[in-house]
Amino acid sequence: MDLEEAFQVVGEFGPYQKRAVAVLVFTQVYMACQSMLIVLVGSTPEYHIQPQDGDSSSLPQVVFTEDIDSIVTEWFLIKQQAYKVSLAGSLFFAGLLFGNVFFGPLSDKIGRRPVYLTGLFFEVIFGYVTAFAPSYEVFAVSRLLVGLMNGGIGLVSFVLTQEYVGKSYWAMTGTLTSMSFAVGIALFGALGYFIRPWRSLALVANSSGVLFFLLSVTLPESPRWLFSQGQTDRAEEVLRYMALRNGNASKNLTLRRAAAKDGRNRGAGVLQLLIHPVLRLRTMVLMYVWYACSLVYYGLTLGATETSGNRYVNVAMYGLVELPAYPLCIYFINKHWAGRRKSMASFLCLAGCACLCTMFIPENTGTLLSVTSFALLGKLMVSAAFNIAYVYTSELYPTVIRNAGLGVCSMSCRVGGILAPFVPSMRALHTSMPFTVFCLSGFSAGCLGLLLPETLNRPAADTLEELSSNTQYRVLESKALLYEDDKLKSNHK
């Protein structure tokens, strides 16, 4: 039998898989706390410079007027040193970028489980280095290393939540992962409200990672990855163990040996994303979609955070505002008249519409129809598109190259996040210019997303050969692609 038939026997989402997925999903809370850490530990309180009376040789004294304990107050990161707070945040996101690129292909080569456990272990270690950093320099390097691990295991854990279950549950597990991350942001805001000293906050936020690591040690290797690598016996062993824990008898569970005979799939790496005719075009479209999602998401978030109010409430609000997006995703992407492709494209276009509306709303209107309201509505829409992009992308790539594909797409996503802070500076050209950029990005990504094939209720490809031989996996069924396929076939003759 093939893998999907095996999951029907084992149980697509049995009690054992629910526990395994729960561990991975709740780990996202820890990862969200690490992602948002700099927002609170890097808070800059109000201050003034108080000159020393009667002694012209004495240095002026900095007086902080707010009772805040952060890296700013401990290392006096103000005036010419203020850039170091942003630098620490940038180093974390740089780590995310390299983590996505490095860990994705690595887990495709040596397995999901060892990469995930190793990354989580070192993220916890470097998280403690952050909490006990004796200087800013050590703090900054630790944030880079935490970001490196966070970016890597984020992809691997997402893939594992899907590869442990039957394909019909992929959308649900992917959505739960994104929801858990949003809840983690909100919980971090609450945690920061009750724990004000920055070292204590970093210590407590990181300690949950120890629990999640101990729970993750019991997780098995992905049976889908084992099967794609030709390790059919080990894949059968994992599936039988799952069936046993689910209460299903499956002693006669036997997978087809076709994957074991094909060694060309082993070690399929990032280069295949450029060489393979279907994957090349598909990757180009997905990279732009991810880039646009990130640009609009972080750009709107930066615009929304300009609103006044309690910083802890604001952090929680920007996490909670994403939650309504996920039930919408679950509903629409499983409907035959919407599916993954149309839902993602529609949410991106709606995000563009929300940005378009801000151009016609006067600032500081003080009503529900304010710039902030439409910015948050845009974030809600792009959060939904972002969530679908994760689920959709994992379904569009074969198992042997799934993490590599997600890694490359996530890399382009980080590029969008890096560029997002610079877009508001375009107000110098025209006040509506930033939202024009976000509007055009959302619309263009939505239109390009319609070129991708629908994956709802269609079997997932495990090998590159399945992707090439089955026309339902094709993207851009144009004469150009068909011509290239014909050329490849003629070369084999």
Side-chain angles (χ1 to χ4, degrees):
M1 62 180 72
D2 62 21
L3 269 176
E4 297 307 325
E5 292 172 340
F7 272 105
Q8 294 291 336
V9 175
V10 169
E12 287 193 286
F13 196 44
Y16 177 75
Q17 287 128 303
K18 290 176 182 176
R19 289 191 292 270
V21 168
V23 171
L24 295 166
V25 165
F26 284 119
T27 303
Q28 295 294 317
V29 173
Y30 164 71
M31 295 175 64
C33 289
Q34 288 293 352
S35 299
M36 298 298 294
L37 190 70
I38 195 64
V39 175
L40 295 184
V41 305
S43 297
T44 302
E46 295 291 333
Y47 66 91
H48 64 267
I49 308 297
Q50 181 177 325
Q52 295 292 340
D53 296 332
D55 189 357
S56 59
S57 62
S58 300
L59 294 174
Q61 183 180 3
V62 178
V63 177
F64 293 102
T65 56
E66 288 185 79
D67 185 20
I68 292 178
D69 178 25
S70 67
I71 62 173
V72 175
T73 60
E74 179 167 336
W75 294 315
F76 293 96
L77 304 180
I78 58 173
K79 297 290 185 178
Q80 291 85 356
Q81 301 295 313
Y83 75 93
K84 290 184 177 181
V85 178
S86 300
L87 178 61
S90 298
L91 287 172
F92 176 84
F93 285 101
L96 285 180
L97 173 62
F98 290 111
N100 294 152
V101 175
F102 177 71
F103 282 99
L106 183 64
S107 67
D108 281 333
K109 290 181 179 296
I110 69 172
R112 319 303 198 206
R113 185 176 181 271
V115 171
Y116 172 73
L117 290 177
T118 303
L120 181 56
F121 175 79
F122 281 107
E123 181 170 358
V124 173
I125 296 297
F126 296 138
Y128 282 122
V129 174
T130 294
F132 295 107
S135 65
Y136 169 79
E137 288 73 21
V138 175
F139 175 87
V141 171
S142 72
R143 297 315 298 161
L144 172 67
L145 295 174
V146 168
L148 183 70
M149 300 301 148
N150 192 289
I153 67 173
L155 282 176
V156 180
S157 64
F158 177 83
V159 170
L160 277 174
T161 60
Q162 301 200 312
E163 295 188 349
Y164 281 157
V165 301
K167 188 175 181 296
S168 60
Y169 287 91
W170 282 15
M172 186 191 72
T173 57
T175 300
L176 287 175
T177 301
S178 301
M179 285 184 69
S180 182
F181 192 89
V183 170
I185 295 175
L187 290 177
F188 179 69
L191 190 65
Y193 178 80
F194 291 106
I195 304 175
R196 298 300 175 91
W198 78 266
R199 290 185 183 275
S200 300
L201 177 60
L203 186 66
V204 173
N206 189 64
S207 294
S208 62
V210 178
L211 172 63
F212 292 125
F213 174 77
L214 294 176
L215 292 173
S216 298
V217 170
T218 62
L219 296 176
E221 181 56 90
S222 163
R224 292 182 183 275
W225 179 83
L226 291 171
F227 181 73
S228 70
Q229 298 299 301
Q231 301 181 40
T232 314
D233 293 335
R234 287 186 61 194
E236 291 173 350
E237 183 180 342
V238 172
L239 288 169
R240 291 191 186 108
Y241 179 73
M242 286 183 173
L244 179 65
R245 298 295 297 272
N246 287 340
N248 298 328
S250 58
K251 293 182 180 180
N252 296 325
L253 190 151
T254 303
L255 297 173
R256 60 180 173 84
R257 258 53 185 176
K261 298 176 183 178
D262 192 356
R264 289 174 294 175
N265 287 308
R266 300 182 185 182
V270 178
L271 192 60
Q272 285 293 338
L273 299 177
L274 298 174
I275 296 175
H276 198 283
V278 177
L279 289 177
R280 179 171 62 248
L281 293 171
R282 188 169 297 182
T283 300
M284 289 170 59
V285 173
L286 286 172
M287 284 181 69
Y288 183 76
V289 168
W290 279 62
Y291 160 80
C293 282
S294 180
L295 183 72
V296 177
Y297 178 91
Y298 289 109
L300 290 176
T301 301
L302 290 173
T305 52
E306 294 176 2
T307 57
S308 60
N310 185 288
R311 59 171 54 90
Y312 306 103
V313 174
N314 286 345
V315 171
M317 183 177 70
Y318 297 130
L320 293 175
V321 75
E322 300 179 30
L323 291 180
Y326 303 121
L328 289 174
C329 291
I330 293 177
Y331 177 78
F332 283 109
I333 64 179
N334 289 314
K335 297 296 180 180
H336 66 89
W337 45 266
R340 277 72 157 145
R341 181 173 66 97
K342 293 179 182 177
S343 296
M344 184 183 73
S346 298
F347 280 123
L348 279 168
C349 290
L350 287 172
C353 286
C355 295
L356 181 65
C357 291
T358 61
M359 303 178 198
F360 305 103
I361 303 295
E363 294 188 10
N364 301 319
T365 56
T367 64
L368 289 175
L369 296 178
S370 63
V371 173
T372 301
S373 298
F374 279 108
L376 290 174
L377 177 62
K379 185 184 179 186
L380 175 69
M381 295 294 106
V382 78
S383 297
F386 226 153
N387 178 60
I388 296 172
Y390 264 97
V391 176
Y392 194 24
T393 302
S394 65
E395 293 178 345
L396 285 169
Y397 284 109
T399 303
V400 292
I401 204 168
R402 183 167 295 131
N403 258 357
L406 278 169
V408 170
C409 291
S410 191
M411 178 184 67
S412 65
C413 159
R414 302 307 170 194
V415 173
I418 291 170
L419 294 178
F422 296 98
V423 177
S425 63
M426 298 177 69
R427 285 180 179 273
L429 300 175
H430 194 277
T431 54
S432 64
M433 188 60 70
F435 285 106
T436 302
V437 172
F438 299 142
C439 172
L440 293 176
S441 298
F443 275 124
S444 58
C447 293
L448 275 178
L450 291 173
L451 297 174
L452 297 169
E454 182 55 68
T455 59
L456 178 63
N457 297 327
R458 295 180 181 178
D462 289 313
T463 66
L464 297 177
E465 283 66 29
E466 289 180 18
L467 189 72
S468 301
S469 61
N470 200 328
T471 56
Q472 73 177 11
Y473 298 120
R474 299 296 181 89
V475 60
L476 303 174
E477 289 288 352
S478 63
K479 293 181 179 179
L481 180 58
L482 294 175
Y483 169 77
E484 189 159 1
D485 285 345
D486 290 340
K487 186 171 66 174
L488 288 173
K489 290 177 183 177
S490 64
N491 291 337
H492 287 299
K493 291 181 180 179

